[in-house]
Amino acid sequence: MATLVREYVLNIDNDQAMAISHFPGISYDDYDRAGGVSPWKICRMFEAGRTVPFYQGNFLYSNDLTSENNRFYVLGGDYYFDSCLWEVTRKYHYFPYRIEINLISVGQSSLTLRALLINSLDNKEVATYYGKLVYVDQTTNRSQELPYWFRKKYRGKDTFERVRIDFSDYSVPKNAYEFKTLVTASDIDHNGHTNQASYVRYCMDAAASASRGENSFKRLTQDICMYPILKMTTAYRNETVMGDKLVTSVWEDDLSPQILHFAIHCGDKLVYTSTIKFKSTPCSKL
């Protein structure tokens, strides 16, 4: 978060395990060049839906768990988008929405959240996010056990809904397109690291540049922002800071050309990976 949290309308259950944050709408600069809401804005909307309950409502007893030395960091997660999400801002003159966030699993040093993005005008769920957070000791920069009282309180929250973050070796093919990016001050969050949504923007910029080159994509032949996203997986592998020079590699899936894979490196260090599945047919441009 780069701004202070204002007093949003917030509802939290007695167990501190479910919260609903209400937002009045989105702004002009949240739209992309195709006239739809940008994917990185959607990521920020989910981020706000998590941050507002944490800071404003002590959701999951976050005020008791976080300090100068202890903090939660996002490992990654899966986004699922209803196709109507990319058209909803075209249909309505304004778009009030709410984020419903639930704790669904607790491990020794991590927890898993499910968040729903709901259109407040018709109560339709237009996107879902499953994210895994890890509890980190900042003095050692390593994960640490969650307090026993916390794990005991929420041990019954373990469900079948899982998020498996892929941290296996990532092989970038030789024919992958490479796009260079400099991390700027506007990309940095309050922890001093590159914000999660910025990585999504780097990936979309790389895909847009690749689609205009000589070796353009087989299926996604138009401007990449014309294709609605159906699913996106993210994995944050290392931190980057202002001034870092990044290289984003993008390539098509061998079997499904509407799926693009991304890997972002800072020098020899792999910092972020993502896979995005697009709808194979483009939408109309406003």
Side-chain angles (χ1 to χ4, degrees):
M1 291 287 291
T3 58
L4 295 177
V5 177
R6 55 160 287 184
E7 292 296 316
Y8 291 96
V9 176
L10 176 65
N11 308 110
I12 300 181
D13 71 347
N14 293 331
D15 206 27
Q16 289 288 328
M18 188 277 288
I20 302 176
S21 304
H22 300 261
F23 299 91
I26 57 178
S27 62
Y28 176 82
D29 64 351
D30 296 325
Y31 295 90
D32 62 20
R33 57 193 175 278
V37 62
S38 64
W40 51 93
K41 171 58 183 180
I42 302 296
C43 295
R44 293 288 280 176
M45 292 162 74
F46 276 116
E47 182 183 356
R50 180 176 67 251
T51 303
V52 168
F54 276 160
Y55 281 81
Q56 185 176 314
N58 196 26
F59 178 60
L60 291 174
Y61 302 95
S62 56
N63 293 340
D64 303 304
L65 295 176
T66 57
S67 65
E68 267 190 38
N69 296 327
N70 304 313
R71 193 174 295 273
F72 284 105
Y73 286 98
V74 178
L75 284 177
D78 298 329
Y79 296 84
Y80 297 88
F81 304 105
D82 190 293
S83 294
C84 72
L85 171 63
W86 310 106
E87 299 291 338
V88 71
T89 51
R90 303 160 183 255
K91 180 180 179 182
Y92 299 109
H93 293 295
Y94 72 108
F95 179 50
Y97 65 94
R98 62 186 185 271
I99 301 289
E100 178 182 319
I101 188 168
N102 291 271
L103 174 68
I104 61 173
S105 182
V106 176
Q108 287 292 109
S109 60
S110 65
L111 51 86
T112 303
L113 302 174
R114 179 186 65 237
L116 303 174
L117 171 58
I118 301 170
N119 179 359
S120 295
L121 296 175
D122 59 11
N123 295 317
K124 181 176 177 59
E125 298 172 6
V126 293
T128 305
Y129 172 64
Y130 291 90
K132 179 168 285 190
L133 282 66
V134 63
Y135 193 47
V136 174
D137 181 343
Q138 295 196 116
T139 58
T140 63
N141 204 31
R142 299 178 66 88
S143 62
Q144 61 177 329
E145 278 194 358
L146 288 160
Y148 174 73
W149 64 265
F150 184 89
R151 289 182 282 120
K152 181 180 179 182
K153 178 176 179 62
Y154 294 117
R155 61 188 175 189
K157 289 291 182 182
D158 198 21
T159 70
F160 68 92
E161 297 174 289
R162 300 282 184 175
V163 176
R164 301 188 183 279
I165 310 299
D166 183 10
F167 286 118
S168 59
D169 291 338
Y170 220 75
S171 178
V172 178
K174 293 182 179 180
N175 64 339
Y177 180 85
E178 293 187 349
F179 184 81
K180 295 181 180 179
T181 304
L182 177 69
V183 179
T184 64
S186 58
D187 293 318
I188 302 302
D189 61 21
H190 70 289
N191 291 319
H193 306 140
T194 307
N195 183 264
Q196 304 156 31
S198 293
Y199 289 114
V200 176
R201 178 165 52 83
Y202 300 158
C203 290
M204 296 299 292
D205 285 348
S209 180
S211 67
R212 297 168 63 89
E214 294 181 2
N215 299 317
S216 57
F217 302 129
K218 299 174 184 176
R219 181 70 58 82
L220 309 174
T221 57
Q222 298 188 34
D223 190 339
I224 199 66
C225 70
M226 303 294 293
Y227 297 90
I229 297 174
L230 301 178
K231 181 184 178 182
M232 177 172 66
T233 65
T234 61
Y236 306 96
R237 295 167 176 259
N238 280 289
E239 300 165 352
T240 59
V241 298
M242 184 176 64
D244 279 345
K245 297 177 180 179
L246 309 182
V247 175
T248 301
S249 302
V250 54
W251 65 97
E252 290 176 311
D253 187 85
D254 290 335
L255 300 178
S256 302
Q258 75 272 24
I259 296 176
L260 299 182
H261 301 286
F262 300 85
I264 299 180
H265 286 81
C266 180
D268 295 330
K269 180 175 68 174
L270 179 63
V271 298
Y272 175 84
T273 56
S274 179
T275 296
I276 301 180
K277 181 179 181 180
F278 296 86
K279 191 175 181 180
S280 57
T281 55
C283 61
S284 60
K285 188 172 184 178
L286 290 182

